[in-house]
Amino acid sequence: MEIILIIIFVLGYLAIAMEHSLKIDKLIPALAMMALLWAIIAVTHMDVFEIIPGIGKEKHHVEGVLLHHLGKTAEILVFLMGAMTIVEIIDYFDGFSTIKSFIKTTNKSRLLWLFTSLAFVLSAIIDNLTATIVLLTILQKIIKDRDTRLWFAGLIVIAANAGGAWSPIGDVTTTMLWIANKVSASQLVIHVLIPSILCFAVPTLIASRMSVFKGYIEADTSDEKPKSKFSATMFYMGLGAILFVPIFKTATHLPPYVGMMLSLAIVAAFAEYFSNTKFSMGEATSDSGHHSPVHKSLSKIEMPSILFFLGILMAVAALESLGMLFDFAGVLENTMPKLGTELESTKLSDLVVILLGAGSAVIDNVPLVAASIGMFSMGMDEPAWHFIAYAAGTGGSILIIGSAAGVVAMGMEKIDFFWYFKKIGWLAFVGFIAGSIGFILLRNLVLNVVH
């Protein structure tokens, strides 16, 4: 029966990876796979376990294990829904137009560094997907030549994914590791920030010396003003509210979604107040009428992504509950050669992690990290968890379909798969390897000092 479960999982995985070829939204195979796996487990009365760190497998009833995993998954989904809503509230007030005021130069090389740096910083706060959407929207208003814009878009994808890797709120995978208590916010930043900087800075440095980034762009003389006088206020308030969440978790030791709900409540309260003020002062357009910015923002959050995360996380949880991932992890640890340090605290081969990162370019990094959480029983803030966060977050940049940021860039700019692979893929790979080497050297230095 376990063979049948593995076949269903592999087929579902392939359907997710081939989403663009099959032209079927990846949430469909994810939800079907999840339901089928748990249904077979329940109908055939298979033994299910809860993996307890330091203890091993402990047998439980299927309903209890299902509820346990649903609770863990719900923590991630509620957190993401709160973050998405805050971002949509900022956008409701046209808050992201504030970023355009930072862009003063027309030199292509300087503009590249400005956009990639903004992508790196913004993605650490509002996540890599949203940062990519915001910056590509601004890019379309500044650079009219499409060929030049495609190069900028490719480098923005690399920088956005690198920026999301070192922040607990910058990427779904780092959020998963943070909520699962595999990494702490402070240690994640300490260990992954420098490798992430290398990952985006090395490709940007190489690209800035290429002929395509020589010269100047045609200046945009239009003076586009924000649609609302509260744009800057909501922009900084929204970013501050999201940044407050790790502080709240550290101070209260409550799950991150609780802090995100508090941040959402505060931002929503000000949004309603500003919206009422705007309407009472006659700033609202006559055809739009007065409506709640919170309700409007909630209607725009990406429910397909939420449902995909639900399906894939619960599907991986099904295999975890059978102990299959736990057993497979032991095989990996015993058969894969060690790279780098052989110190006691490094319990997972660097080669496994690098392959996982490269694999995220082909297969979605969310199920890869979800499987890693179920497979490996290492303690909190083990270096391998930080390496997994880096590799899974940045490896997807190698292919345009390897990350959410890449997929949205592909849609917004109609980037060809093979064009990206030939022009940008090698730059992303160089950055990924540079960051990986940086991580290993930094980790070895730190571990040698400690020991």
Side-chain angles (χ1 to χ4, degrees):
M1 190 56 64
E2 290 185 353
I3 299 298
I4 295 176
L5 294 176
I6 293 173
I7 291 173
I8 291 173
F9 186 80
V10 170
L11 290 176
Y13 223 123
L14 288 174
I16 291 169
M18 299 173 65
E19 174 190 15
H20 300 286
S21 301
L22 298 175
K23 300 192 185 318
I24 297 176
D25 195 297
K26 61 185 177 182
L27 76 88
I28 297 172
L31 291 175
M33 176 171 58
M34 177 266 288
L36 288 173
L37 290 177
W38 281 105
I40 292 173
I41 290 173
V43 170
T44 58
H45 304 289
M46 298 179 73
D47 291 336
V48 291
F49 306 89
E50 180 182 347
I51 306 300
I52 302 175
I55 297 177
K57 298 186 291 187
E58 187 173 294
K59 187 174 179 180
H60 285 278
H61 191 271
V62 63
E63 290 185 3
V65 173
L66 180 60
L67 188 62
H68 166 77
H69 286 296
L70 180 60
K72 292 296 181 184
T73 301
E75 286 189 20
I76 298 172
L77 301 186
V78 172
F79 177 91
L80 292 174
M81 289 174 68
M84 288 177 178
T85 307
I86 291 176
V87 169
E88 290 297 341
I89 290 174
I90 296 173
D91 189 53
Y92 176 88
F93 287 91
D94 198 30
F96 293 114
S97 62
T98 305
I99 299 173
K100 195 175 180 183
S101 63
F102 298 137
I103 302 170
K104 305 294 185 183
T105 183
T106 58
N107 181 283
K108 287 183 181 179
S109 180
R110 292 177 185 173
L111 207 57
L112 174 65
W113 277 104
L114 180 59
F115 267 101
T116 54
S117 298
L118 280 172
F120 184 79
V121 174
L122 268 182
S123 63
I125 305 172
I126 60 174
D127 80 58
N128 47 12
L129 173 63
T130 307
T132 303
I133 294 173
V134 169
L135 292 175
L136 288 186
T137 302
I138 296 171
L139 193 70
Q140 289 170 347
K141 297 175 181 178
I142 293 175
I143 301 177
K144 302 304 179 185
D145 180 58
R146 182 174 180 273
D147 291 336
T148 303
R149 204 165 62 237
L150 291 183
W151 280 91
F152 274 88
L155 272 298
I156 285 173
V157 168
I158 295 174
N161 286 332
W166 63 272
S167 165
I169 53 180
D171 186 87
V172 175
T173 53
T174 53
T175 300
M176 289 164 54
L177 290 167
W178 183 43
I179 290 177
N181 289 321
K182 301 301 182 183
V183 298
S184 62
S186 59
Q187 290 300 309
L188 181 68
V189 173
I190 291 170
H191 288 83
V192 185
L193 177 57
I194 292 177
S196 295
I197 291 174
L198 289 172
C199 183
F200 104 88
V202 171
T204 303
L205 179 63
I206 295 172
S208 66
R209 299 180 180 276
M210 297 167 65
S211 59
V212 69
F213 291 106
K214 299 296 182 183
Y216 297 82
I217 63 167
E218 191 175 326
D220 185 1
T221 56
S222 61
D223 185 19
E224 185 180 337
K225 294 182 179 179
K227 298 174 184 176
S228 170
K229 68 177 183 179
F230 302 113
S231 296
T233 303
M234 290 307 300
F235 175 72
Y236 292 114
M237 181 185 295
L239 296 190
I242 296 174
L243 285 172
F244 167 73
V245 176
I247 299 173
F248 180 87
K249 181 183 186 297
T250 302
T252 65
H253 301 290
L254 289 171
Y257 73 88
V258 180
M260 186 60 77
M261 291 300 103
L262 176 60
S263 293
L264 174 58
I266 293 171
V267 172
F270 278 94
E272 293 285 351
Y273 173 75
F274 290 153
S275 181
N276 291 332
T277 302
K278 180 179 177 180
F279 184 77
S280 64
M281 293 177 66
E283 291 185 26
T285 58
S286 58
D287 59 336
S288 65
H290 180 240
H291 49 74
S292 167
V294 179
H295 291 178
K296 183 74 172 178
S297 299
L298 283 168
S299 69
K300 292 178 68 178
I301 65 174
E302 288 197 37
M303 283 309 296
S305 295
I306 297 295
L307 289 175
F308 166 69
F309 296 144
L310 171 65
I312 196 65
L313 293 175
M314 290 301 292
V316 172
L319 298 186
E320 180 186 341
S321 68
L322 296 171
M324 294 166 66
L325 297 180
F326 187 74
D327 296 335
F328 182 63
V331 175
L332 276 180
E333 291 179 15
N334 292 327
T335 58
M336 295 300 287
K338 293 280 185 182
L339 290 181
T341 182
E342 292 290 345
L343 292 174
E344 185 181 349
S345 56
T346 304
K347 299 178 181 178
L348 181 63
S349 166
D350 292 331
L351 182 59
V352 172
V353 181
I354 291 172
L355 290 175
L356 184 148
S360 69
V362 181
I363 303 169
D364 196 283
N365 58 0
V366 172
L368 283 176
V369 173
S372 299
I373 292 173
M375 286 163 60
F376 306 117
S377 56
M378 300 170 293
M380 184 176 181
D381 281 329
E382 282 285 346
W385 286 126
H386 300 134
F387 201 7
I388 288 172
Y390 165 79
T394 60
S397 302
I398 299 171
L399 296 179
I400 189 70
I401 61 170
S403 66
V407 171
V408 75
M410 188 181 191
M412 291 180 70
E413 290 290 352
K414 303 296 184 289
I415 300 174
D416 181 73
F417 176 89
F418 293 104
W419 181 91
Y420 183 96
F421 180 70
K422 289 188 293 184
K423 305 291 187 180
I424 307 295
W426 71 273
L427 287 169
F429 180 75
V430 169
F432 173 69
I433 295 300
S436 298
I437 294 172
F439 180 92
I440 293 170
L441 292 176
L442 180 65
R443 180 201 61 198
N444 291 359
L445 176 64
V446 172
L447 288 177
N448 280 318
V449 170
V450 171
H451 285 259

